[in-house]
Structures are given as C-alpha cells and as structure tokens.
Amino acid sequence: MSTVRPRALLDAIARTIVGQRDVVESLAIALIADGHVLLEGPPGLAKTLACLTLATALSGEFKRIQFTPDLLPSDVVGTRIFNQRDATFTTERGPIFANVVLADEINRAPAKVQSALLEAMQERQVTIHRETHALPDPFVVMATMNPLDSDGTYALPFAQMDRFLLKVDVGYPSHDEELAILERFAMRDTVPAGGVASLQDVLAWRDAARAIHVDEKIKRYIVDLVTLTRRAQTLGESVARYVERGASPRATLALVNVARARALLDDRDFVLPDDVRLAAAGVFRHRIGFSYRLLAERVDPNDIVDALVSAVKAP
Amino acid sequence: MQNVCSRNGLISRESRTASRVAARCATALVLALGLAGLACADPLPRLHITALTLASDRARPQAERPFHLTMFAHVSERIDSLGVVLPQLSGLEILGDERHVVHTKDGTDYRESLTIVAHVSGPIDVQPVYVDAIDGRDGKPKRFLSNPLHLLVTGGMSAAAIPAANAFGGIFLFAGVCVVGALAVVLALRRRARPAAPVHTVPAMVLPQAVPIRSVRDEARDAFAVLQRERTRSAAMRLRSLLRRMVGAGDGETLSEVMRTRPALDPRQRAALTAAERAVFTDETGFAGALDQLIACVRGLAL
C-alpha cells in the first residue's frame, strides 16, 4: 500500500511546468491507468519537459528517442552485435527499455519503426532476433507530434493510434502563464523535483485504481458514449458528415480506466459521470475516423467530439 | 367633453384636449391589439409542468465563439410541441435552434438548444424562458418561469468600445426617430378633423398568473422524508434529481457542469449536490456513510 498520494506527483510536476494542467494530468492518468499518451502541439510548449519532469519525479529510468525518417527498428528496440573477441552475438538493448520513453516527433519515423513500437506498446515486450524481452514495469510511452510541419512525416496507422490511451492537444499558455514561464525559467534555474514517488508507488496506485467502484449507470453511460460514435448519423448531417468510423471497444476500456484514474487523483473510491465526461475527449479524439470534409472545411475535430459527447445524457 | 371635435373647443382648450386625444388613440390601439390577440390566440394548453430550466454549456463564453443555451422542460402529458417563449437575447446572436421532443414513461421531455454567439465582452443577464399554460394541478392559467442565467463574455470588443463603432448607427437611428415623429404629428392632425369614435369598454384580458414553479422544493422535501425513512439508492437518486432541479440544472448535466455554469450557488447547495453525487455512485460499503452525509447536508438546506 502506497503512502504517497498520486496528487503529490501532479503537485511536483506543477512546480516545474507552468500551466498545461491537461498535459500534466494526462501524463499522471496514463501512468496510473497503465497506458500511453500522444501529445500533439507546436514546438516549445514544454511537451518534452513535462515527460522528463514526470520521469524525474518517479525516480524511474527515462529515455528519449528522436524519431527521424532514417530511423531503424533496431535503433528503438535494440539489436544483436557480433563480438569478435569471443565470436559470439550479444544483445544490445535499445532505448525502449526504460520506464518512461519519450518518442519525440513520432510521425517522422517510417511504418516499420512504428510497427516495432506497436508490439512494445501493446505487449509490453520486444523481440530482438529470436529472443523476446519483457519491458520494465511501469512502462509508459509518451509520444509527441508536431501538427505544423507536414513535410517528411508519416501518418500514424489507426492500429497504433488506438494503442494510445489518451491524445492531448497541447495549447499555448495564457498571458499570466507566459509571465510565470518567464519568471521561472529566464530569471532563475528550475530543477525538476526528484524522488516524489517510487515505481512501487505507481504499481500500488494501479492496484488502487483497479479497485475503484464503477456504478452500473456509469458503465451504461460509457457504452452509450462509445456506441454513439459509431452511429453519428443519428445526430444529423452536421455531425455525421465528418465522422467516417466510430471508436473501437478499446475506447470503452480506455474510458473506464481513465475515469478510474481520475477518481483516484481526486481521492475518491468511486467514479462519477464527471470523470467519464472529462475523459471522453482525450480518449475519442484520435480513435474516431474523421472524413476528408473535416480537413477540407477546416473544422476542429474537438468540436465534433464535443458534439458527440454532449449528445449523451449523463446519468 | 363631447365637443372634442369642435374646432373652437380644440383651439380654446388645446393642451387638455390634445392629451385626451393622444390617450384615446393609445387606448384604442391597445384594445384593438388586445381584441386581435384574443381572436387569434390559441387556448392555453392544460399541462403539468414539473421542470423548466435554462442552462448554458459555458459560464464564461468567449466573444465570437459559438456556445449553447439549452432549455429543458418536462411535462406529465404526452405532447408534440411546447410553446416555450425565449427571452430577449440582447448582445447575443442566434445561429441555430434545435428542438427535441422525447416521450417518456412519465410524460414528455422537451429540449431546445440554441446555438448563439456573443459579439461583445462583458456580463450578460439572460432572462428566464417561460411557458404559459393552464396548470393541470389547479386549473388556473399561469406563467411558468425558468431560472435566469448570468454569463460573462470574455475576449473580443468590450461594450465600452461599442459607442464609437456605432456612431454611424446612431445617426441613422436619430433620422428614423425624426421620420416616425413627423408621421405621428400628421396622423394626429388628420384625426382632429374626424368625429371621435365611440369608445367601448371591454373586459380586461385575464393574463396567466406569473408564478415560478415552486413545487420542486415541496417535492424535494417529500423525497427527503422518503430517503430518511427508506435509506435506499433509488430514494437518493430521486432526491439528487430534485436538488438539481432546485438549482435549475437538468438531469443530463454532470456535477462539475452544474457547479461551473452556476457560480453563484450557495456553499450549502454545493455541499448537498456533492453529497448526493456520492450517495448515488459510491459502492455498497460506502453507501451508509454517504447517505448520512447527504442527510446532514440537506438538513442544512432547510427545505
């Protein structure tokens, strides 16, 4: 049983990261819910710093992989190296073997690298040559994408997008937050707080989250939300024209796990409709297949997700 | 005063007579409109209205960013439409209007959603929506009012900047007033030349009584008594629903939405709503404690 509250982790990260509450909460939620996070936003919004701060606060091992078009799967998972001295092959583990892995600009790597990451994210293991290696526990991939530069990028396959528990749109800070950033980083050195919680604390939080009560009405609400994404036509042409494909059953599981993690962060042992409502956008925005009209008409996908979520009556 | 049409009389008592003429004109106009209204008006529907609320999806909408006002009504009858009268939305522009009528086991849920946009920043008070109907409980015509809304529009051009922007509009408005005034003078002069029409008195229109729905509190008091007696989850759910209606919230809103869109809620109401949420969604082991907390909070409300 952990004596450290999960909220302490958030407080520690907030001492380094100014604002970006949604990002910080999502990172903590992914950690508790045993999932991965995709952060999308322009450069310079502390996406990388947030991941580094979380890893430092956890006293876990942190690795960063800069994804580029010439990256190879072996650069991520590791490879077999021939040792000339004793004429044997030894396995050199790649940077994926860490507790917190930052996959920076993940959409710059080609499909074969992304599929190598796929096994790691879903199975929590990697195969190097004929050997399968388990990844450390906890293992969280925090990937970033830059929506501004589209040259030399590869769209992430849906199968991989679906494996991210949450997708967070990282926005610009407010005026006051920008002032605080100036004060905190330009006027003095800020060192991320370390050792706030141990890896064992994280495992204990996961056990606690799994024990959180989900009422029958909440379960029905979650299923109603997910199934509505598959029959968006019932909401009329204004929504249906932008939705091609609904969310998978993995979204149902993701919603309940994220809602439980939110309840734990709030020191509750039961899930509220609010937990689900707040989780829905992050769970759905990368799992719903939007039509070409969305791009062509420059419609914000978050508006469509909001329309879907608000159409279902909370219990 | 039958000689109001005499030119001499008019000249000798000009000021008094002119005011009488104006008053009669106004009376005649009101009566004509009233009679026309009576002739055209549909009879009021007989309804048991048990909920009528007005909510916004954003307490602090941004200027030039659409947001939604939602009216929710529940009536015990099965109806296909409801004559909800919207307030004057000054400073707001209506972009769309969607209505949903859902027939339920205990009547009809009516939901109307307005997509609106504010063009200037600052506080906006949205007056209650209302429904005129014969109250099915006592057979009397009444006006059922929802809660009002207080919004704070952020960003965009402030109201203080509007006068400068509207300078040209003011000029056009002034010109319009002058034209209307001139027309009114011409009409009054022409009227003096004609004999006055006899004035008939008609019984005054009986307007629906202006009463807000007061019965929700009564129902909440009853539900609270049932909860204390039975201590069941369903009784807690019933009380939660009524506590929400008391603050003008619909059942479909989450707790944080209720709190966020109603910043002026009393701390005791907030505590009661939070306790009700816990009592409804906690597990069996925590239910007894949650129920005690809810009962204590609702006692503090002094229903």
Side-chain angles (χ1 to χ4, degrees), chain B residues 19-255:
Chain B
S19 63
R20 280 183 194 137
V21 168
R24 284 183 183 179
C25 285
T27 309
L29 184 64
V30 169
L31 285 172
L33 288 172
L35 288 169
L38 279 176
C40 299
D42 291 325
L44 292 173
R46 189 184 182 91
L47 298 171
H48 289 77
I49 300 179
T50 55
L52 180 59
T53 63
L54 177 64
S56 168
D57 60 350
R58 281 175 175 77
R60 295 166 68 89
Q62 283 192 325
E64 308 302 340
R65 288 287 301 265
F67 64 105
H68 298 95
L69 281 185
T70 305
M71 287 147 277
F72 172 77
H74 180 83
V75 297
S76 303
E77 287 76 14
R78 191 179 173 84
I79 57 168
D80 294 316
S81 66
L82 187 64
V84 177
V85 181
L86 305 178
Q88 285 291 326
L89 298 173
S90 56
L92 301 171
E93 181 188 350
I94 299 178
L95 302 178
D97 186 0
E98 282 186 25
R99 292 164 199 187
H100 299 279
V101 176
V102 179
H103 294 125
T104 61
K105 278 187 286 187
D106 58 343
T108 307
D109 282 343
Y110 177 89
R111 192 181 298 274
E112 185 167 354
S113 181
L114 294 177
T115 305
I116 56 180
V117 66
H119 295 301
V120 292
S121 59
I124 291 183
D125 287 333
V126 181
Q127 297 303 308
V129 297
Y130 65 85
V131 176
D132 288 340
I134 304 289
D135 190 348
R137 284 164 288 206
D138 57 13
K140 290 181 181 173
K142 290 181 184 174
R143 174 164 292 176
F144 294 87
L145 296 160
S146 76
N147 56 299
L149 277 182
H150 308 286
L151 306 174
L152 181 61
V153 180
T154 58
M157 186 165 55
S158 72
I162 295 297
N166 284 349
F168 286 111
I171 292 167
F172 284 116
L173 183 65
F174 178 72
V177 168
C178 290
V179 170
V180 171
L183 280 173
V185 169
V186 170
L187 286 173
L189 288 174
R190 289 182 66 180
R191 184 171 174 76
R192 283 182 190 178
R194 278 185 253 145
V199 177
H200 300 285
T201 54
V202 293
M205 267 197 304
V206 180
L207 291 171
Q209 191 183 345
V211 287
I213 300 172
R214 294 280 303 141
S215 59
V216 179
R217 185 172 281 270
D218 298 336
E219 287 181 45
R221 197 181 301 125
D222 294 345
F224 183 49
V226 171
L227 178 73
Q228 287 177 295
R229 194 171 59 242
E230 296 180 357
R231 293 181 67 87
T232 59
R233 186 89 67 170
S234 60
M237 283 182 66
R238 168 80 178 144
L239 182 60
R240 170 182 179 255
S241 173
L242 290 165
L243 289 174
R244 282 165 165 252
R245 284 187 195 173
M246 277 173 61
V247 300
D251 284 342
E253 291 179 72
T254 64
L255 181 64

Side-chain angles (χ1 to χ4, degrees), chain A residues 213 272 274 277 313-315, chain B residues 240 252 254-257 277 281:
Chain A
H213 174 69
L272 288 179
D274 262 323
R277 180 66 70 92
K313 197 170 152 181
Chain B
R240 170 182 179 255
T254 64
L255 181 64
S256 68
E257 286 168 344
E277 204 78 354
F281 292 107

Side-chain angles (χ1 to χ4, degrees), chain A residues 38-96:
Chain A
L38 180 60
L39 305 172
E40 186 174 41
L45 292 182
K47 300 188 291 288
T48 309
L49 181 62
C51 300
L52 176 66
T53 308
L54 177 74
T56 310
L58 279 179
S59 312
E61 194 177 357
F62 174 76
K63 292 275 177 66
R64 172 182 174 157
I65 310 170
Q66 185 66 47
F67 278 54
T68 52
D70 58 351
L71 197 73
L72 295 172
S74 57
D75 296 332
V76 175
V77 298
T79 188
R80 300 268 289 168
I81 294 178
F82 182 70
N83 190 335
Q84 287 184 328
R85 194 182 307 158
D86 49 10
T88 56
F89 279 95
T90 55
T91 301
E92 190 69 28
R93 292 182 170 194
I96 197 82

